Each structure stands twice: as C-alpha cells, then as structure tokens.
Amino acid sequence: MRFIYDRNKTAVIYKDRHYSYRDLLIYLKYYASIFDAKPGEKVVIFMENRPEVMFCLFAVWERKCVAVVADAESSIEQLAYMLRDSEASYIFTTDAHLKVARRAMESVEQDVRILNFDEISLPADFLPDEMEMHIEDRAQVAVILYTSGTTGEPKGVMLTYDNLLSQSDSVKETGVIVESDRFLAMLPFHHVLPLNTTIILPIYFGTFVVILDELNSEALKKAMKENQLTVIIGVPRIYELLHKGIMAQINRRFLTRTLFNWCKKINSFTLNKIIFGKVGRELGGAIKLLVSGGAKLDAGIGQNLYTLGLPVIEGYGLTETSPLISFTRPWNIKIGSVGEPIPHVEVKVAEDEELLVRGPNVMKGYYNKPEATWEVIDADGWLHTGDLATVTDNVITIIGRKKEMIVLSNGKNINPADIENEIIRGSNLIREIAVTEHENHLIAIVYPDFDLVRKNKVTNIAETLKWEIIDKYNLTAPAYRKILEIKTVKDELPKTRIGKIRRFMLAEFLKAHENDEGQETPATETAVPEELKDIYGILKENIETGRSVKVTPEAHMELDLGLDSLDMVEILSFIENSFSVKISEDKLSEMKNILEIVRYIHENGGAFEDRTSDLKDILAEEIPMELPKLSPLSIFAFFLIRICFKLYFRMRVIGREKIVGNQYIIAGNHQSYLDALYVPIALPRRFLRDTYFLAVAIHFDSPFRRWIARQCNVILIDINKNLKLSLQMAAKVLKEGKNLVIFPEGARTRDGNLQPFKKTFALLSTELGIPVLPFGIDGSFAALPFGTTIPKPAKVTLRFFDPVVAESGKADELISTVTTEIREFILSPRTFG
C-alpha cells in the first residue's frame, strides 16, 4: 500500500519551520540510505520530540526494519535493557542523549552502532529515486514499545503495521477526523497514544501536525492560535490544568458563575459555544476536538469543559491495543464513559468484570516472552485488559484498574483515582495526589504546587491541606472512603511520562520519604557557599537545639524537619534578635529551604550578636488589642443552650468542684463542633464572662460569623498569617487575668480517637505560670460524627480533672499528663464520677 506521497502541502511544523510532504519523503529516504540494516533488524530511536523522530521512524520502515521507540528520559540501565532484549543493531539519537546512548551501548555485549542526527545534514542535492513510501506487508512487526510493568522486567509490545493502521482506518470510518484537520503533538512519542495518533494517523490522513518543543501554557496558546489547530491529543492532567485556570476566571464574577450554572442545567452544547465563545477563541478559535487519553478523565471536569463549549472526547486503550479500543463520539458524548468500541473491534465483560478485547488492534505479542503473551491473550484471541468495566448499549465505562483497586477489610472496593480526582478538583494548591491504603486506612500522599503555595502566602502547608482541602472532601465522603491521614511530600510522585501514577511504587516512595525526614545527607556542608557558612552554622545549631531534627541546607522547615507554628515563631524571633533581620511569615512562605533563609539573612542583615531570646520574651511583648466583651445576649443564649443540651443530649458535667482557682488555661479533647458549646455551658457562671476561646478564623469566614465570635469572647487566629501575633493574642488574654479555652488537637477528631496535642497550651502554661485545667469530652463524636450536620440525641459527658501546674521547661511532661488523663477517660468513661 502507498503510505506517504507528495501531497503538495505541509506535513510537519516545528519551531516555526514548515516541512512539506515532499520534505518528509526526502528526509526519510536519505536517512534510510545512511544505515545498513537488514529487514527485520531492530533500530532504537532514542531522542526528544522533534521531526527527526518521524523521519527516523519512516526510514526504519523504508528498510523494512523494526523501530524500538525509547523514552528520551531512559536511564543507562533502562536503555541497555532495551538494546539487549530487542537485540538492536542501531541507536538513532541526538546530542542531548548521546552520552547515555554511548554508555548503554558500551554495557551490552553486542554490535550496536550509533547515529547522531545532530551531526547529520541533508545534502542539498539529494533526491530519492521514488517520491513515495510503501508498506508491503501489513502483517509484519512495525514497532516494539516497552511497557513499564508493575512487576518483573519491562515487556516489549510488538505492534504490526496492521495493528497501527487499522486504528486510522477505524477512525476514518467514523468520520470524526478528516484530511483538513490540524493536529498538535505534545506528548512524548515513545508512548503509543502520541506515536500513533500524532505521527502515524495525521500522515496517513494527509493532514499536518505541529510538534510542540516546550510544554507550557504560553507555547500551547501560541501554537493553537498561529496554526488554527483543530485536534489536541492530551492526557487528563493537561485538561485538569486547563479546567482549573478557566474555572478560576468563571468563579470570580457572580454573572459568569450564574451563566455557567444555568448552561450546565440546560446542557445544550450549541448554547454553550455561543455563551462561552470567548473560551474557544482563547484556544485559537478552531478547536474541533480535545481528545483525552492515557488515563481516566474526571467526569466533573469533562462535564464542566462541555458546559464551556469545549468538545472533549475521551479515548480508552492500552499499548497492547495500538492503543485505541474505544472513544466517545462528538455527537453522542456520555460524560464518565469512554464511548463505543472503534469499528471492527469486539469487547465483552468477563464474569469478574474484567474487560476483554478482540480485533485487528490487538498486538502480535510480547517480544521473546511467549508465556507473558499467553497470560493476557487467550486461545480465542481475547486480550485481557486488566481493567474492570461495564458495557451498556455498546458504551464502555471503566470502573478501575483490576490491580489498583483498594479492597478494604470490610470487603468494600475503592478506585483511588475517583477520590484523587474529587480532591484535586477542589483545590489549586495540589499539583499531584495519590490515595493508597496504609496501615489499614486510606492515606493521601500530596505533592503541593509550591509556586501557588508561595503566591497564596500559605505558611502551614500540611495544616492547610489537611483541614481546608482533605477535610472538605471527608465531609461528604462515605465512612469507608474517608482520608484518615495525609502525607505532604516535597518530591514529585512516581509516575509515567504521560502522568499516570505508578501505584506499585507508592509504598516504597512513602517509606523512603518517612526514612529521609530529618536525616543528614552526605556532603551537607559542602552544599553551602563559603560566605554563608557562618550564618548557616549558627541557624543550624539554634534549630537543632532542643528539637530532635537534623538540619540540611535543602530541608524545608515544615515538610522535612516537621517544625510546627510555634517552632517557626521561635526561629524567626531568634533571627530578628540575633541578626537584626525581620522575616515576615509571608516572606517565609516564599522560601523553599533553610539555605534560602540563610541567603536572605546574609543579604539583609548585619553581624551576628549573641542576644538571647526565648518564648518568654515573645510573650512579654505588648500588642495593641482590645479584648471583646461577652454580650448579655450571649449569656442568655448559653442559658437556653444549657437547658436544651441537658434534655436532648442528657449532658452530664463531672468535676466542676475542681475549679477552685481564679484563672486557668482550659484544655481538652475535641470530638465535634458541639464542643464549642459544651465547654462554656459546663463552666461555672462566674467564669463565663472572663473566659475566652481560641478559634481558627476559617470557620468564621463571613461578617455575621465574625460578629457572633466577638459577642462570645472568641479570639480568631489564622494558621497562615502572623503566627507570632496569634501567640501574643493568647498571651494577652492570660496576662489580663482571663481564662483561655484551647482545643490542643487543632481540629476535631475524624474517627473518634484522640489526636496528638500541639504544645501551645503547655508552653503558655509553663512560661506564664498559669495552671492548666484539663477536661475530657465523651459522647460528642457519637452525637455529631465527622461529616454529619444533624446532631443525634447521644449521651454526652464532660469531666474536669484536677488543675495541673508544671515548671518552666516541662511542657512535654505537662502534655503527657493531660493527654493520658483524657485518653483513659475516653476509653473507660464509666469508671469516672
């Protein structure tokens, strides 16, 4: 069959250079003439995305050889494995990858030759004998692509010309793509999706493709506008970022937000394109199809993009199926599904819900691995995909990856991708997230978007992610799908080049991250420039003194060293007193590691002066703040609440007689939102006027709620703004002889268990010499469990314990004493009182 011929038009655009079909033929013919390989020999193409990948691929085919398209980011060991396993005789590469190619070639015991295409120039007078390229036998193997499996060695997937071209034939039959379309190629070509749909299919159709040389929003917009692109082949992550950026603009204004919700309800694509036409114009104005593949696209994102007038269709397939199995048709988009099978491909669902596929798209097999081939292709030719699915009215919906489903001890099956999509959709602070099972509960491993973290001046990253993002998800999630732990990491999650999480590597990734925390790294001191070493040494000693951490220049104070808000306040105060450099918490949030802090001190400070400064000095500073006064209306409201709670919750207060002094830090566990009412109505009335409550500002995010806070003696603090001031506000309450109620857990429990107590209350007590009045609440979680809104009439008991006085410097002992008493009470409440 005639595959490529001179169509008298552009075939490829790269970095503003246009290559015609004639140019394409000249290049591939010349490249085919400069290497000597017999039909059937393997040639490894090892280079970044550029036109030479196309020229080399078709040159290999011209010589009837087999192309092994390798990941341009392969290590020496990975490339050497491909060379050995495929028995390759050539490596086609470029300057950027020559060193790795040579090292890999030297490590294998076979004759491999290298061609560097940055050193090869097309002769000006070269003309091929025939200005066409033919494929004579579609049954022959055309490419071998190596998959990175979850276990064992990578397997070489053998795809024939018929496997690859049958996809183009099927797409042509549907009428979705026509010759006048214009494609964008931005995914790495070693994956079968971009290889087949942005190289082979466009050339087969006779259209042109733009190869993006850098993947960023500006380059993408420029390419789309200048070339009037109609078809974009991408992965879900690209559309997630596109969706996030557009929705941020939509949600900024009431009118656009209202219009969007109105269009969503009407669900007319024609109307959507009219109302949100500006969105399409920003993307070049010619977009016909946004194709998502490589992983499941979140249904909510798909629906929102549809509402914005963007025609997103979702494809599904595997490397072993060349890759397409199905895709949604533009005229019959069913959000959440992966559409109908392509023509001439059969699908069926096995008894265990695994999707099976049969057709011309199914691979010939794994190279040199017949046993592995038999494991996935049965005697009747059905490929076992490993995906769980349903098929209704010929439309496929993927439930999840068979090996990736989390099966809980109660028998519930969870697709982690569904949870990840729901969480990441609710926040722009998360760049990557993976949900997995860890010690019999679900854990979310989060890699934040540090640029946005700094831009939004988030100081307490882990706390913000935990309570403002994961917490929101947990509010509506069923009990078995709740995230009970979050691990915030500083490194990207293990994933493939097209963004799919390598879930089989998460356990090791998590273990490595936990082992690395606080550990000294080799050659730590040599990483510090000479002019910064003195400052670094002083700061390192200060941070490590009294804290079980090992400082390194690259360490992040929160994520690596585990320092909390109080630690930050003390360290910033030390810097200000010792170096005369004031670092605001906003500025601190912009600094990635200790070395950046040291550099900032060096650039903005004077000489070191050994001026001692401790927490007592910080607490002693006076601040201009007037304490609110409990209003008569609030006193009356507490009276009514006391009556209601005694009747509805059968509330019992034990140990009120322990309150014999005049001033306390009142600290206890936090089981539900109701606790903020249980405590004030349990206190003696004489205490109420002089008792203040610390609360997180985010829970009082409206003018009315803030007004309520002022009427009820509530002091609002922000975990991301002016941590020092928050601490001094608490101290001011105590220095004026008032009582202060603190829930040291920082937030209510998610599972009924006692969470670790933060040390603020204990340090305030030991530094200011004010006794702690511990209290324990039991039954509050049963009355209003996490994620519910209507309280149940459960029995609630609040017990006050003997006041505790601790010496200065004994904060840890105080925390231990208080938490032990409360824990014993919660575990066996009936033994008290």
Side-chain angles (χ1 to χ4, degrees):
M1 61 164 282
R2 186 173 66 161
F3 178 54
I4 305 175
Y5 56 94
D6 186 4
R7 295 175 180 263
N8 196 30
K9 61 191 291 189
T10 298
V12 187
I13 299 175
Y14 179 71
K15 291 185 176 181
D16 297 325
R17 179 173 176 183
H18 291 234
Y19 296 86
S20 67
Y21 275 83
R22 179 183 174 84
D23 294 331
L24 172 60
L25 283 160
I26 291 172
Y27 270 100
L28 80 85
K29 295 282 186 176
Y30 176 68
Y31 285 2
S33 71
I34 61 174
F35 72 100
D36 182 23
K38 298 181 178 62
E41 285 191 31
K42 318 302 186 303
V43 176
V44 174
I45 300 174
F46 179 53
M47 62 182 74
E48 67 275 23
N49 277 21
R50 51 194 283 180
E52 283 79 3
V53 176
M54 302 176 73
F55 306 157
C56 289
L57 174 68
F58 298 141
V60 171
W61 288 2
E62 174 75 1
R63 294 195 67 94
K64 299 180 178 57
C65 296
V66 179
V68 180
V69 187
D71 184 350
E73 293 187 3
S74 296
S75 65
I76 296 168
E77 293 75 17
Q78 289 168 332
L79 184 60
Y81 173 82
M82 284 183 249
L83 290 172
R84 279 192 298 268
D85 188 71
S86 67
E87 304 165 295
S89 55
Y90 278 92
I91 305 174
F92 289 176
T93 192
T94 58
D95 284 341
H97 307 286
L98 185 60
K99 183 176 179 181
V100 173
R102 281 178 174 161
R103 295 281 297 277
M105 181 192 70
E106 291 165 1
S107 69
V108 297
E109 297 179 358
Q110 63 197 66
D111 183 20
V112 182
R113 283 155 287 179
I114 293 179
L115 287 180
N116 179 2
F117 284 84
D118 279 325
E119 296 176 350
I120 296 171
S121 299
L122 178 71
D125 59 351
F126 177 79
L127 278 177
D129 295 333
E130 183 183 28
M131 202 61 75
E132 290 183 353
M133 178 200 160
H134 296 263
I135 293 173
E136 296 178 1
D137 186 357
R138 287 179 54 146
Q140 292 299 310
V141 175
V143 298
I144 295 177
L145 302 175
Y146 280 85
T147 62
S148 51
T150 58
T151 57
E153 296 174 329
K155 297 185 287 288
V157 177
M158 294 186 290
L159 298 177
T160 66
Y161 292 103
D162 193 50
N163 290 151
L164 297 167
L165 298 177
S166 69
Q167 304 264 283
S168 298
D169 291 334
S170 293
V171 170
K172 181 176 284 188
E173 197 170 319
T174 66
V176 171
I177 302 295
V178 295
E179 186 178 339
S180 58
D181 281 316
R182 299 174 292 280
F183 285 72
L184 177 68
M186 56 181 166
L187 302 177
F189 289 147
H190 73 279
H191 279 282
V192 68
L193 174 65
L195 181 73
N196 202 359
T197 60
T198 62
I199 290 184
I200 299 169
L201 186 146
I203 298 302
Y204 187 65
F205 269 72
T207 181
F208 77 74
V209 59
V210 176
I211 300 176
L212 205 62
D213 63 308
E214 53 181 339
L215 187 54
N216 59 57
S217 58
E218 289 307 311
L220 183 59
K221 284 182 181 178
K222 181 175 181 287
M224 294 171 78
K225 286 183 177 180
E226 290 184 356
N227 300 289
Q228 292 291 284
L229 300 174
T230 63
V231 181
I232 311 298
I233 310 290
V235 291
R237 185 60 180 152
I238 290 170
Y239 299 117
E240 287 164 10
L241 294 173
L242 176 67
H243 169 264
K244 194 170 286 185
I246 297 173
M247 291 308 297
Q249 297 292 325
I250 294 291
N251 289 325
R252 250 178 220 171
R253 295 184 178 87
F254 174 78
L255 178 61
T256 53
R257 192 165 61 246
T258 303
L259 276 173
F260 178 83
N261 292 330
W262 182 60
C263 287
K264 198 169 186 177
K265 288 180 181 177
I266 296 173
N267 204 33
S268 166
F269 189 70
T270 303
L271 181 64
N272 296 343
K273 287 191 72 173
I274 294 171
I275 291 180
F276 294 106
K278 185 179 178 182
V279 175
R281 289 192 293 276
E282 280 294 309
L283 299 178
I287 289 296
K288 173 181 162 184
L289 291 176
L290 297 176
V291 183
S292 178
K296 185 178 179 181
L297 178 68
D298 178 66
I301 291 175
Q303 180 62 66
N304 285 350
L305 292 175
Y306 182 86
T307 304
L308 291 165
L310 297 177
V312 182
I313 69 171
E314 190 166 2
Y316 163 70
L318 312 168
T319 303
E320 289 85 348
T321 56
S322 311
L324 277 182
I325 293 172
S326 68
F327 64 85
T328 50
R329 309 304 195 257
W331 53 85
N332 186 32
I333 293 177
K334 296 187 185 301
I335 302 296
S337 80
V338 292
E340 305 166 47
I342 62 174
H344 314 296
V345 168
E346 301 174 76
V347 298
K348 70 176 182 179
V349 177
E351 289 183 6
D352 63 354
E353 296 186 306
E354 183 179 8
L355 186 70
L356 310 185
V357 180
R358 184 168 64 183
N361 58 335
V362 174
M363 67 172 179
K364 184 173 183 177
Y366 296 118
Y367 186 68
N368 281 340
K369 288 181 171 59
E371 295 84 1
T373 303
W374 299 332
E375 286 177 10
V376 296
I377 302 178
D378 63 28
D380 295 322
W382 290 100
L383 174 76
H384 293 241
T385 64
D387 288 314
L388 305 177
T390 61
V391 180
T392 306
D393 296 329
N394 205 36
V395 173
I396 303 170
T397 301
I398 302 299
I399 300 170
R401 190 75 182 153
K402 196 172 177 180
K403 291 180 180 179
E404 293 176 357
M405 295 293 284
I406 299 173
V407 183
L408 302 178
S409 56
N410 61 6
K412 296 280 189 181
N413 289 341
I414 294 175
N415 181 10
D418 290 341
I419 299 177
E420 292 157 3
N421 288 332
E422 190 170 342
I423 292 172
I424 206 167
R425 193 167 62 238
S427 172
N428 61 356
L429 293 181
I430 298 176
R431 184 178 291 275
E432 296 172 3
I433 181 172
V435 172
T436 187
E437 189 176 21
H438 181 64
E439 297 179 354
N440 297 318
H441 63 262
L442 292 182
I443 180 174
I445 308 171
V446 177
Y447 172 58
D449 187 325
F450 286 100
D451 290 335
L452 283 176
V453 164
R454 286 188 285 275
K455 184 179 178 181
N456 293 340
K457 304 186 186 307
V458 175
T459 305
N460 289 293
I461 304 172
E463 291 287 299
T464 300
L465 291 173
K466 185 175 184 180
W467 303 125
E468 297 182 23
I469 298 168
I470 302 298
D471 194 41
K472 287 180 181 178
Y473 160 77
N474 280 337
L475 281 173
T476 55
Y480 71 94
R481 285 167 62 98
K482 291 186 189 299
I483 303 296
L484 298 184
E485 186 179 353
I486 176 172
K487 194 72 174 178
T488 309
V489 297
K490 216 172 60 167
D491 304 309
E492 292 186 17
L493 302 182
K495 57 188 182 297
T496 66
R497 288 281 304 284
I498 61 171
K500 290 177 70 172
I501 299 293
R502 296 182 188 268
R503 298 189 186 277
F504 66 96
M505 297 174 67
L506 288 176
E508 281 301 314
F509 176 81
L510 195 58
K511 183 178 177 182
H513 184 269
E514 289 173 344
N515 289 342
D516 287 345
E517 288 182 350
Q519 298 300 310
E520 193 84 38
T521 56
T524 294
E525 301 305 326
T526 59
V528 181
E530 190 65 35
E531 69 274 14
L532 302 181
K533 281 190 175 180
D534 288 344
I535 299 174
Y536 172 73
I538 294 167
L539 185 60
K540 173 182 166 76
E541 182 182 0
N542 176 266
I543 295 174
E544 291 182 347
T545 301
R547 303 180 181 95
S548 300
V549 296
K550 288 291 184 182
V551 172
T552 65
E554 299 81 13
H556 187 284
M557 287 216 292
E558 181 188 359
L559 301 184
D560 293 321
L561 302 182
L563 303 183
D564 61 17
S565 303
L566 207 53
D567 293 314
M568 306 281 194
V569 170
E570 291 179 307
I571 293 165
L572 292 182
S573 181
F574 168 78
I575 292 170
E576 184 175 351
N577 280 280
S578 302
F579 295 99
S580 299
V581 177
K582 186 176 178 66
I583 303 178
S584 68
E585 281 141 16
D586 285 350
K587 188 66 182 175
L588 182 67
S589 69
E590 298 174 5
M591 300 180 185
K592 299 181 202 173
N593 53 41
I594 298 292
L595 191 59
E596 286 194 13
I597 298 173
V598 170
R599 184 170 285 111
Y600 185 84
I601 296 170
H602 175 71
E603 293 171 355
N604 294 276
F608 170 73
E609 290 186 43
D610 190 5
R611 291 182 288 192
T612 58
S613 171
D614 55 22
L615 185 60
K616 193 180 289 292
D617 296 319
I618 296 171
L619 300 180
E621 291 181 29
E622 292 299 326
I623 58 171
M625 167 190 161
E626 185 177 345
L627 297 181
K629 294 181 180 179
L630 191 68
S631 70
L633 181 63
S634 298
I635 294 173
F636 180 67
F638 283 135
F639 172 74
L640 293 178
I641 292 169
R642 182 182 288 112
I643 295 172
C644 293
F645 275 28
K646 282 187 176 180
L647 294 173
Y648 191 74
F649 297 116
R650 294 171 291 157
M651 182 177 171
R652 185 168 64 136
V653 179
I654 303 170
R656 194 183 278 121
E657 71 279 1
K658 309 277 189 185
I659 308 173
V660 294
N662 294 317
Q663 186 186 22
Y664 296 105
I665 295 172
I666 304 166
N669 63 310
H670 195 3
Q671 291 197 338
S672 80
Y673 280 137
L674 296 172
D675 300 340
L677 296 173
Y678 289 138
V679 176
I681 66 175
L683 289 170
R685 291 182 188 176
R686 64 184 173 86
F687 257 65
L688 204 51
R689 286 186 185 276
D690 291 330
T691 300
Y692 289 79
F693 303 82
L694 279 191
V696 179
I698 191 172
H699 299 311
F700 297 84
D701 56 357
S702 69
F704 177 70
R705 289 184 179 184
R706 288 191 291 273
W707 179 83
I708 291 289
R710 287 193 298 272
Q711 306 309 304
C712 297
N713 283 3
V714 176
I715 306 293
L716 300 179
I717 61 172
D718 192 320
I719 64 172
N720 285 314
K721 291 181 181 176
N722 214 331
L723 307 173
K724 182 179 178 181
L725 179 61
S726 297
L727 191 62
Q728 290 170 337
M729 288 165 65
K732 182 175 179 66
V733 171
L734 296 168
K735 286 189 292 184
E736 292 196 10
K738 310 299 183 182
N739 304 297
L740 185 66
V741 176
I742 300 178
F743 293 104
E745 291 167 285
R748 65 201 186 284
T749 179
R750 269 51 182 164
D751 56 4
N753 295 319
L754 192 67
Q755 302 173 98
F757 274 21
K758 301 183 186 302
K759 59 187 177 183
T760 304
F761 85 99
L763 289 169
L764 286 169
S765 172
T766 55
E767 295 301 324
L768 298 178
I770 297 170
V772 172
L773 178 67
F775 68 85
I777 296 178
D778 184 69
S780 178
F781 183 77
L784 189 66
F786 176 77
T788 61
T789 54
I790 301 175
K792 304 173 187 175
K795 185 176 180 180
V796 177
T797 302
L798 187 149
R799 177 181 176 85
F800 291 106
F801 299 93
D802 290 320
V804 183
V805 179
E807 300 174 17
S808 179
K810 303 286 187 180
D812 289 341
E813 291 182 14
L814 178 57
I815 294 171
S816 177
T817 300
V818 171
T819 53
T820 299
E821 282 188 316
I822 295 173
R823 184 177 290 107
E824 289 177 355
F825 166 68
I826 294 171
L827 293 176
S828 53
R830 290 189 177 83
T831 64
F832 293 85

